[in-house]
């Protein structure tokens, strides 16, 4: 299939490569930042309009909601070049509410729209092991699935358009709040004179078990906060959660607090640290830190 | 060994039975509520003072901090009967701060004190599969361990006296906040038009994985809130967390919110529901509930 790919960053590059390895033709818009590796596997066209004209499926993998808006509807954008019957697949992590609006405009051009954010990071992108959460019609999802199978492993059609982004936001809410759960519990334990490593060991396997208790608690105990997944990116996801919640008429009190805790870590210079550094905000509230055992 | 056991409730009864099956002699204070089964396996003495005189190890399994205080130091209490060299093992879930004070007073009588709260509930108590989190000296823990092995499986010596209670509180903080994490995420997903069951399925296995996402999320989706572990009991544990935190000079913002959410569920008549009913407080904030699919 002829695939347009916009957003050849840390995630997009290995994804485009995996699609090319799967036998697909890749078209990308000219950017100064394109790597030699990408230029070797893709046809480079003038802009996203030209890419949309050349391709049947256009995949987006860009940082944020305004980037998707610009790539689709800005000057030289995808919408101006789309052939009727093409499919737009947005794999960025962006606003679920704006996704529904973008999809309406693309549908009005006679094209399918599928939102399909991922989790699994650079490692998952390179090894074609991403978790993919998709929203769209049955027909749209069926068309995209052949491509998803070259990119990921745990692929779920969550619901109508926007549901993929909703699912990603829900995932990020849970991860953030599970991190805060472990942070509050371990700071409490350390401040009360218990060894947080032993506490973690004692409760692992019970109802407190989580992937975060396995991985992030260990980072908090060992004081190793190199990413991983950056505070800055999780801040963006929680902001999406809160702005969507406002639009939906929902109050998410612990999500709001966790977002403020991430802001606190960023304010203290930690925006590029792993999100387990949220514990530093809890420690900051008390003027007490889990002792570094090194 | 001659074991005094005070607190023959839902948890205490099967625990005393397991100790008796392990070859130990059980002494209990007279209570109108003693069951025929307990009377059949234990020597019933006048009060806890007489029990402490007769036994080398005295185990407590009572509801709350004031109950432990009364059993130990009230009229007819354990302290008045303790032989020098005996050991008091408090397996109730109570205040870590008060535990340290109780232990000091018991140590002053020439006796050991070990705090060893459990998790695993009635099922774990009956099948001798409790998780036991112990605080005390090495010597005290070593004495108690022979008894713990008849009661539980995952047995950890977390640290000095009080550390068992600290660990239990840390566990209950994490469980409560993981429940709130899942509640906020699923209410968000449902309100945004996604199927919460599909969202759960899509994110299971990733960084959002937890025992709570397995078990409690399912209860929220299926609207089955029969206990399980009651809101009323988890409220008590979170109150312990917050009062201890105040004494330690800590702020635990998400724990405080979760405690308020449990209070909200109780205020709406749900004190005896399973703690996964915390989701009803999040739903109450929005005037929207996850649809019942039945």
């Amino acid at each position: 299939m002829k695939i347009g790919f916009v957003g050849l960053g840390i995630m997009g590059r290995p994804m485009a490569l995996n699609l090319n390895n799967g036998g697909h033709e890749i078209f990308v818009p000219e950017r100064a930042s394109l790597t030699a590796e990408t230029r070797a596997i893709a046809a480079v066209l003038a802009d996203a309009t030209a890419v949309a004209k050349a391709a049947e499926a256009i995949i987006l993998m860009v940082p944020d909601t305004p980037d998707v808006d610009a790539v689709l509807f800005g000057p030289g954008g995808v919408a101006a070049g789309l052939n009727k019957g093409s499919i737009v697949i947005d794999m960025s992590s962006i606003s679920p509410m704006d996704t529904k609006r973008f999809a309406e405009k693309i549908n009005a051009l006679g094209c399918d729209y599928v939102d399909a954010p991922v989790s699994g990071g650079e490692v998952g992108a390179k090894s074609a092991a991403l978790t993919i959460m998709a929203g769209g019609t049955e027909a749209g999802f069926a068309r995209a699935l052949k491509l998803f199978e070259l990119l990921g492993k745990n692929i779920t059609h969550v619901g109508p358009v926007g549901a993929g982004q909703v699912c990603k936001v829900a995932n990020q809410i849970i991860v953030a709040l599970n991190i805060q759960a472990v942070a509050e519990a371990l700071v409490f334990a350390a401040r009360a004179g218990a060894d947080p490593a032993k506490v973690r060991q004692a409760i692992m396997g019970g109802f407190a078990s989580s992937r975060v208790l396995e991985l992030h608690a260990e980072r908090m105990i060992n004081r190793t906060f190199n990413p991983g997944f950056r505070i800055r990116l999780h801040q963006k996801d929680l902001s999406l959660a809160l702005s969507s919640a406002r639009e939906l008429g929902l109050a998410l009190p612990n999500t709001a607090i966790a977002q403020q805790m991430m802001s606190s870590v960023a304010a203290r210079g930690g925006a590029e640290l792993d999100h387990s550094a949220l514990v530093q905000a809890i420690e900051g509230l008390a003027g007490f830190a889990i002792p570094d055992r090194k």
Side-chain angles (χ1 to χ4, degrees), chain A:
Chain A
M1 196 190 288
K2 291 175 198 295
I3 299 175
F5 205 111
V6 186
L8 283 299
I10 288 172
M11 296 293 291
R13 281 197 299 272
M15 291 167 71
L17 186 62
N18 284 332
L19 290 168
N20 184 245
N21 287 339
H24 296 287
E25 255 181 282
I26 310 295
F27 298 85
V28 305
E30 177 63 72
R31 296 275 194 283
S33 57
L34 289 178
T35 64
E37 195 186 29
T38 298
R39 290 178 189 276
I41 62 143
V44 181
L45 306 182
D47 56 18
T49 304
V51 166
K53 271 189 190 139
E56 306 150 61
I58 299 92
I59 298 180
L60 276 63
M61 193 62 179
V62 295
D64 207 346
T65 310
D67 305 300
V68 173
D69 197 4
V71 166
L72 290 179
F73 307 111
V78 166
L82 277 178
N83 304 304
K84 212 172 164 176
S86 284
I87 182 168
V88 172
I89 305 169
D90 179 25
M91 304 192 74
S92 324
S93 290
I94 68 159
S95 159
M97 318 305 285
D98 286 320
T99 289
K100 290 180 195 175
R101 291 185 273 267
F102 297 159
E104 266 180 39
K105 288 163 80 173
I106 296 295
N107 291 158
L109 301 171
C111 294
D112 266 334
Y113 190 102
V114 169
D115 56 300
V118 306
S119 69
E122 188 182 357
V123 173
K126 283 185 171 165
S127 57
L130 293 168
T131 291
I132 301 177
M133 301 154 258
T137 61
E138 287 293 343
F141 177 73
R143 285 177 78 183
L145 184 57
K146 290 168 290 186
L147 307 182
F148 292 158
E149 285 169 347
L150 295 169
L151 302 173
K153 282 196 169 132
N154 184 10
I155 302 161
T156 309
H157 184 202
V158 182
V161 78
Q165 299 294 354
V166 167
C167 187
K168 176 71 189 277
V169 170
N171 185 76
Q172 297 301 82
I173 288 173
I174 294 177
V175 174
L177 299 198
N178 284 6
I179 290 174
Q180 180 136 354
V182 167
E184 293 196 11
L186 293 187
V187 172
F188 173 80
R191 186 70 187 82
D195 177 351
K198 284 199 178 150
V199 168
R200 174 175 168 276
Q201 178 201 326
I203 66 180
M204 193 97 93
F207 284 121
S209 301
S210 70
R211 196 69 166 278
V212 165
L213 184 63
E214 277 173 49
L215 301 176
H216 299 72
E218 201 164 40
R219 295 174 199 160
M220 294 177 199
I221 291 165
N222 294 335
R223 315 306 288 174
T224 53
F225 298 120
N226 36 326
F229 189 75
R230 292 170 202 275
I231 288 276
R232 180 172 51 78
L233 295 173
H234 214 147
Q235 266 188 299
K236 180 201 113 184
D237 294 335
L238 295 184
S239 297
L240 279 181
L242 294 175
S243 60
S244 303
R246 199 176 315 119
E247 210 172 319
L248 291 164
L250 284 181
L252 302 177
N254 276 12
T255 303
I257 301 252
Q259 196 259 2
Q260 291 295 301
M261 293 296 118
M262 298 237 183
S263 294
S264 163
V265 177
R268 297 151 63 101
E272 304 303 324
L273 296 179
D274 184 68
H275 51 174
S276 57
L278 185 148
V279 71
Q280 295 179 357
I282 306 297
E283 294 170 339
L285 290 172
F288 165 86
I290 294 173
D292 191 339
R293 300 186 302 169
K294 285 191 288 281

